Amino acid sequence: MQTTLDVRGMTCGHCKMSVEGALTNLAGVSTVEVDLATGKVVVTYDESQVTVEQMQEAVEDQGYDVA
Ligand SMILES: [Cu+2]
């Protein structure tokens, strides 16, 4: 499965790495592509292992908002 999260509040490379790291750490997430300019985060995942809600929580735990 693939989903696109709309993440608000990322401003620099460190933000990008924080979000990428938090999502990549979730079991079931295989790839994460962050577009810093638009805030779009494309996640490829196994829906039997992880939910979009868990991804949102992981991003929010890093201090960013998911629209
Ligand atoms: Cu930053």
Side-chain angles (χ1 to χ4, degrees), residues 10-41:
M10 294 188 295
T11 56
C12 69
H14 177 260
C15 298
K16 180 180 170 179
M17 283 173 51
S18 297
V19 169
E20 278 175 353
L23 290 170
T24 304
N25 279 343
L26 294 172
V29 170
S30 47
T31 67
V32 180
E33 289 174 38
V34 176
D35 186 327
L36 197 52
T38 62
K40 301 287 185 202
V41 178

Side-chain angles (χ1 to χ4, degrees), residues 1 27-28 45-51 54:
M1 289 283 289
Y45 65 103
D46 178 346
E47 70 270 27
S48 69
Q49 291 189 67
V50 65
T51 65
Q54 287 173 306

